[in-house]
Amino acid sequence: VQPPEKPLQAEEWNRLKESFRSPEIFEEVMFNSMIRCNSPIDVAKSLLTHVAKSDGDIAYHLLVKYLALCVQQGQTSEIHDVYDIMKVRFKVLESGAYSLLIKGLSNSDQWRMALTLLEEVKQLMIPSRGNYESCIKAASRHQEMNLAFQLYHEMLAKDLVPTSDVLQAFFDFSRGMKGAELQNQLFGILLYLRENQIYPHKTFMRSIKLWFESIPGGNWRGHLTNIKDSGQCPVCNHQLEDSNLTEEEYNGLRERIIKDVIHGTDTFRKTSPQEFEAFQTFVENRLPFDIVIDGLNVSHVKPRRMHCENLFEAINCLAKGNARLLVLGRKHMLRNSPNWKREVMKEMQNKADFFFAENISEDDTFLLYATLQSGKHCKFVTRDFLRDHKACLSDSLTRHLFRKWQRGHQISKVMVLSVFVQQPAFRYDCVVQTTGDTWHIPYKDTFDEKYSYEVPRKWLCMQQKL
């Protein structure tokens, strides 16, 4: 339906409705179309008035659609009017209406009303990430940084993950502002990036750099650089943190993963205790391995090739230098099929140890167990994030060590011109890090979410000249 370009009279709306195939949903379809075409607000208002006169009132869903158009256009006084009508007409609003009202009001000079609505939402449900972020951006825009940070910490306490967009806003709106407390809060965001292994994209990184350089009397200077393979920063000559865990950290992590993840709540969801015991015995009799491979995962790297060819290529690439390989497979791989040729499977089994699990087993648990039992040198190959397992670990120190171990031990397999390219694990740790008068921040060129183990090669080095 093409919405009219100017407001219509009652009889004109009636004529349009009568010519419409499904008159019972005419108003709804028309409002959807107005939102899509960003129609003038007085056209939408004339339809709303017509509905009110002919039906005696306006249905909730139509008011919400009208509200969406008002928010889209930043029509603050209309947003107010709709809110007043809704408050009188409906005891409770649902989350969609609240989200629109908070978004619309937070972008206006009446932004404090959005805070009032946020409080209302809290009485009914957990506010969404969007609700919080609208209010945080409004408070930041008006230089109310204490309020913005209060909302940010509240959001984190509710396990809502902030977008990089809102984190960037903190740096943008704090530029040139004084105050040790504010600085500590912003350093806290950088440590949040470290803790959660988040790599800011280029525009976010620039905001961080400009904020540092704008700190009154701070004397910070930023440079973009590439870290040497040795882990030394060419700008400030500082040595980045080593990616290796100490013996104590490694043993502690191994015990926690075996306790929390492997014997914790999620192991036997997809595997039987008997099968896992058989696997443990299999591993103990053959330790140590140099590389453990998630066979099924790697076999899907190139979709147009036979699965066994993909896996065979990975094994050939990794078996160089007499590395001892363990491949985690599934029983269906042993049945001769178009994707799993028996003769190729036999050849692979000459180059690597294979353990074939039931077809419904949980590979990740097997992968972690075999790698950790093999010792600090052992690497593993999978394209998975292993996010679920990070979540099972009960404290932040263990999660940090798990990520650090993952960054240093997960080999990512990338296909370049149908050849496996092995991206080695780095000797230095690829996370935000600081010594007090330096900050090193890895960043990526794009907005897409990289695999958590695919680390950026570009860094921002911030140095304070004292």
Side-chain angles (χ1 to χ4, degrees), residues 195-369:
E195 180 62 31
N196 294 284
Q197 197 179 319
I198 296 165
Y199 303 125
H201 51 73
K202 202 188 272 175
T203 39
F204 182 8
M205 175 276 295
R206 284 206 189 102
S207 292
I208 295 170
K209 179 176 182 289
L210 289 170
W211 170 72
F212 266 109
E213 292 175 342
S214 79
I215 297 172
N219 250 350
W220 287 93
R221 283 288 158 271
H223 294 90
L224 308 187
T225 186
N226 292 321
I227 303 294
K228 296 174 183 171
D229 286 345
S230 64
Q232 192 184 41
C233 170
V235 179
C236 65
N237 296 321
H238 179 71
Q239 187 67 31
L240 294 194
E241 292 170 34
D242 196 326
S243 64
N244 286 323
L245 304 187
T246 64
E247 209 61 50
E248 194 183 335
E249 285 174 333
Y250 180 78
N251 291 333
L253 177 68
R254 186 175 66 183
E255 278 166 30
R256 286 307 293 276
I257 287 184
I258 286 173
K259 182 171 162 289
D260 289 358
V261 178
I262 293 170
H263 295 314
T265 50
D266 74 340
T267 322
F268 303 128
R269 202 173 42 200
K270 293 183 185 167
T271 186
S272 67
Q274 292 80 5
E275 181 178 49
F276 196 72
E277 271 169 36
F279 175 67
Q280 283 177 295
T281 308
F282 174 91
V283 168
E284 299 306 324
N285 290 336
R286 289 167 177 77
L287 284 174
F289 297 103
D290 298 311
I291 301 172
V292 182
I293 302 167
D294 181 343
L296 198 61
N297 185 289
V298 169
S299 72
H300 287 83
V301 170
K302 279 210 80 178
R304 290 202 184 82
R305 290 174 64 180
M306 274 195 294
H307 294 164
C308 61
E309 274 183 18
N310 281 332
L311 184 56
F312 193 33
E313 195 167 328
I315 288 171
N316 278 338
C317 167
L318 293 163
K320 289 173 185 144
N322 295 326
R324 291 202 57 222
L325 310 184
L326 167 62
V327 180
L328 301 175
R330 296 290 177 87
K331 287 193 171 158
H332 72 258
M333 294 176 177
L334 292 168
R335 288 199 298 272
N336 199 19
S337 68
N339 262 319
W340 298 102
K341 298 274 184 241
R342 190 162 286 148
E343 60 277 14
V344 181
M345 288 302 293
K346 277 213 174 91
E347 211 173 324
M348 283 195 266
Q349 283 168 279
N350 292 333
K351 295 180 181 241
D353 281 299
F354 271 76
F355 181 86
F356 296 98
E358 289 297 337
N359 293 331
I360 53 163
S361 296
E362 182 57 86
D363 304 86
D364 292 352
T365 320
F366 290 66
L367 185 81
L368 288 173
Y369 180 81

Side-chain angles (χ1 to χ4, degrees), residues 16 51 65 72 89 112 115-116 163 191 270 306 345 351 377 406 423 430 433 461:
L16 263 183
V51 171
K65 287 186 190 300
Q72 192 168 293
R89 289 267 318 279
R112 285 187 186 279
L115 299 173
T116 311
T163 59
L191 294 174
K270 293 183 185 167
M306 274 195 294
M345 288 302 293
K351 295 180 181 241
H377 73 289
Q406 184 184 4
Q423 289 200 335
C430 260
Q433 39 194 280
C461 162

